[in-house]
Amino acid sequence: MTDQILIHGLQYGIYVLEGALCLLLAKQGAWRSRLGFCVYVTLLFVLDGVARPAVLDHFGRTSMQFAYFYWLTDVALAMGAFLLTCGFFRRACAREEKLWRFVRLLLIFVFVLVVAISALSLTRHYTQLYTVFIVEFSQNLYFSCLVLNTLLFVMIQQFAIEDDELGLLVCGMGLQFAGEAAGLALLHLTSGGDFARELFSFLNPICTLGMLITWIYAVTKTPQSVPVDSLAGKQTALAEAVLE
Amino acid sequence: MFMAALILILSTGLFFFYLQAVCQKILRRQFSQEFFQSIVNANRLEFPSVRKAIEDFGSPVEYPRLTLTLKCDFLALTYLLKNAANVNQRYSYEERLLIVYFKLMFASLVTRHWLKLRETPAALKLTAILEYFANVVGERVNTVRFGNLTASDYLLNL
C-alpha cells in the first residue's frame, strides 16, 4: 500500500515537472536554438504525461492494451532520446564541421548496430515480440544512448566547450539513461522477476525525476560568469573589516 | 545474459558518475564576488586553512582534526543555509543534493583513511562544497535589506 502511494507520488511529481519544463521553455522562448530539446520535452509530456495516463484510465493497469501502449511509447521515447543525443552532438560540434561529419557516421553506425543486435534477438524469440524484443531493443537503445552520452560528456571536457547548459543537460540525460538501462538489464537478467519488477517501478521514476530536476536547473540557473561589482566588493571588504 | 550483466554493471557505475558530475557542475557556479570570506571570518570557520594546508604541504592536517573541522564547519554552514536570511527556512534542491554529496564524500574520506589511500582529493572536494555553502549564505546575507540598507551597509553604519 505504502509502495503504491510512493510510486503514484513520484509519477505525479514527474507529470508536474514535465508540464513545468514545457511551460518554462515556452516562457523563455529560444525554441530555435534548443529545437531538439524542446521537441523531446514536448514528446515526453504528451506521451508520458498525457497519453499514458489516458490509456491507463481507459483500459486499466492490468490490461494488455495498456501494456502494449506502455512498451510502444517506451520505444518511441527511446528513439526520441537517441535523436536528442544526436542533437546534443550537433550542438557540441557546432564549430567543428569535420568532427561532426565523423560523429554523424558513428551515430548512424550505432543505430544500425542496435537494430541488428535486437533483430537477432527477435529471430530467437519471434513469438514474444512485446515481452522480449521490445524490452531488449529499449535496453540496447538506452545503453547505446548512455555510451554515446558519456562520449559526448568526455568530448565536452576534452574540447573545453564552454556551454554549461549543454553540460548539465548531458548529465541529466546520463542519469536517466543509466538508471533506465540498469533497470531494464536487471529485468532482463531476472526474466522479469518480482524483485526486479518492483525495483524498476521505483528506479525508473526516480531517474526521470532526477533528469527533469537537472534539466530545470540547467534551463533556469545555468552557471554564468558575472562581472565583479566593484562597489559591492568594496562594501564587503569594509564589512569584513568591521567584523574583524 | 553476459551482455545484460555487463550493461547492469556499467550503467550502475555511470549513474553514480553522472550524479557526481551534476554536483561538480553546481559547484562550478560563479558568484559575483567572494562572499564566503566574510562568512568564514564571522563564524570562525576553518575549512580555508585546511585547504591552504593541503595546497601548501600537499597533505591535510592530522586526520582526527581534519574530520572534526570539516564536520563542525558543515554543521555550522548547513544551519546558516537553512536559517540565515532564508525566508522559507528550508534547503533548495541543489543544496539538498550537495548535502548528500558532502556526506558521501565524507564517507569516502573515512574509507580512504582506513584503506590508507590518499585523502587529499576527498578533503579538497569537501572544502569546495563548504566554500559553495558559505558563498550561498554570504550572497543571501548581502542581499537582505534592513529598511533601506543592505547587510553590508548596516554593518558599516554600526
Side-chain angles (χ1 to χ4, degrees):
Chain A
M1 184 67 181
T2 321
D3 297 357
Q4 286 303 314
I5 292 170
L6 201 63
I7 290 170
H8 280 105
L10 286 170
Q11 205 58 54
Y12 282 112
I14 289 170
Y15 298 153
V16 169
L17 286 183
E18 283 169 354
L21 188 57
C22 275
L23 282 175
L24 255 173
L25 289 171
K27 195 181 164 192
Q28 286 189 349
W31 283 83
R32 279 195 175 176
S33 58
R34 296 169 175 160
L35 187 66
F37 178 60
C38 292
V39 169
Y40 180 73
V41 170
T42 312
L43 185 77
L44 189 66
F45 179 60
V46 169
L47 288 184
D48 189 49
V50 179
R52 275 179 182 171
V55 172
L56 176 70
D57 188 50
H58 195 263
F59 293 104
R61 186 170 287 278
T62 49
S63 65
M64 282 304 283
Q65 286 93 334
F66 176 67
Y68 286 158
F69 188 78
Y70 181 87
W71 289 109
L72 282 174
T73 48
D74 202 54
V75 171
L77 287 174
M79 290 284 291
F82 182 79
L83 291 174
L84 180 62
T85 311
C86 297
F88 284 162
F89 266 107
R90 182 74 192 103
R91 187 165 156 182
C93 299
R95 289 178 188 171
E96 307 270 350
E97 276 303 317
K98 270 189 179 176
L99 187 67
W100 168 238
R101 264 176 245 149
F102 169 72
V103 167
R104 197 169 52 187
L105 278 178
L106 179 80
L107 292 170
I108 294 168
F109 173 73
V110 168
F111 185 72
V112 171
L113 193 72
V114 170
V115 173
I117 290 173
S118 307
L120 198 73
S121 152
L122 179 65
T123 55
R124 287 185 207 148
H125 311 279
Y126 61 93
T127 51
Q128 299 165 295
L129 176 73
Y130 289 102
T131 49
V132 175
F133 176 67
I134 287 182
V135 170
E136 190 159 342
F137 179 68
S138 294
Q139 171 205 296
N140 291 344
L141 202 55
Y142 273 121
F143 185 68
S144 52
C145 282
L146 177 63
V147 172
L148 287 173
N149 204 59
T150 310
L151 272 178
L152 179 58
F153 187 82
V154 172
M155 200 174 97
I156 290 172
Q157 304 295 319
Q158 198 66 30
F159 289 99
I161 297 166
E162 289 194 6
D163 188 344
D164 283 324
E165 187 189 279
L166 180 64
L168 273 166
L169 293 178
V170 168
C171 286
M173 286 267 280
L175 282 177
Q176 162 76 359
F177 290 153
E180 194 99 4
L184 284 168
L186 190 67
L187 211 62
H188 188 74
L189 267 176
T190 56
S191 310
D194 285 345
F195 170 72
R197 210 171 272 274
E198 204 157 306
L199 188 72
F200 187 68
S201 61
F202 276 106
L203 194 68
N204 198 17
I206 287 172
C207 290
T208 311
L209 264 181
M211 176 185 78
L212 289 169
I213 290 170
T214 311
W215 279 2
I216 288 175
Y217 182 80
V219 170
T220 54
K221 289 186 182 175
T222 297
Q224 278 167 3
S225 53
V226 183
V228 174
D229 182 351
S230 58
L231 182 65
K234 277 177 197 166
Q235 283 179 346
T236 314
L238 284 165
E240 281 167 26
V242 171
L243 282 167
E244 281 170 3
Chain B
M1 195 65 108
F2 170 75
M3 193 71 176
L6 188 74
I7 289 176
L8 179 64
I9 294 165
L10 285 176
S11 305
T12 311
L14 283 171
F15 178 80
F16 289 106
F17 168 77
Y18 279 114
L19 210 56
Q20 194 194 12
V22 170
C23 294
Q24 291 296 330
K25 289 267 175 204
I26 295 171
L27 290 175
R28 272 187 60 196
R29 181 185 160 195
Q30 288 179 324
F31 292 85
S32 55
Q33 49 179 288
E34 288 193 340
F35 294 108
F36 81 94
Q37 207 59 55
S38 55
I39 300 298
V40 164
N41 293 339
N43 296 282
R44 297 183 182 186
L45 302 177
E46 290 182 272
F47 71 86
S49 57
V50 170
R51 189 172 52 202
K52 199 168 183 328
I54 295 171
E55 283 167 356
D56 289 352
F57 306 110
S59 62
V61 286
E62 66 269 30
Y63 175 75
R65 189 176 152 75
L66 171 75
T67 50
L68 189 67
T69 302
L70 292 173
K71 208 178 257 181
C72 289
D73 285 2
F74 173 72
L75 289 173
L77 283 168
T78 46
Y79 177 81
L80 289 172
L81 267 180
K82 199 172 182 179
N83 298 294
N86 187 349
V87 183
N88 299 324
Q89 296 226 316
R90 61 170 180 240
Y91 302 119
S92 64
Y93 288 118
E94 61 258 37
E95 284 158 15
R96 277 178 210 277
L97 181 66
L98 288 176
I99 287 170
V100 174
Y101 185 49
F102 182 92
K103 287 178 180 170
L104 289 174
M105 285 314 299
F106 197 81
S108 154
L109 179 77
V110 175
T111 316
R112 277 163 184 268
H113 179 73
W114 283 346
L115 297 174
K116 298 200 186 304
L117 295 170
R118 276 186 74 220
E119 296 155 10
T120 317
L124 276 176
K125 278 180 186 165
L126 288 169
T127 57
I129 300 168
L130 292 175
E131 184 182 314
Y132 177 87
F133 286 161
N135 266 321
V136 172
V137 174
E139 191 182 41
R140 275 188 199 148
V141 169
N142 205 44
T143 51
V144 165
R145 303 187 82 85
F146 300 93
N148 289 328
L149 302 171
T150 64
S152 320
D153 298 332
Y154 176 77
L155 287 168
L156 286 171
N157 290 326
L158 281 176

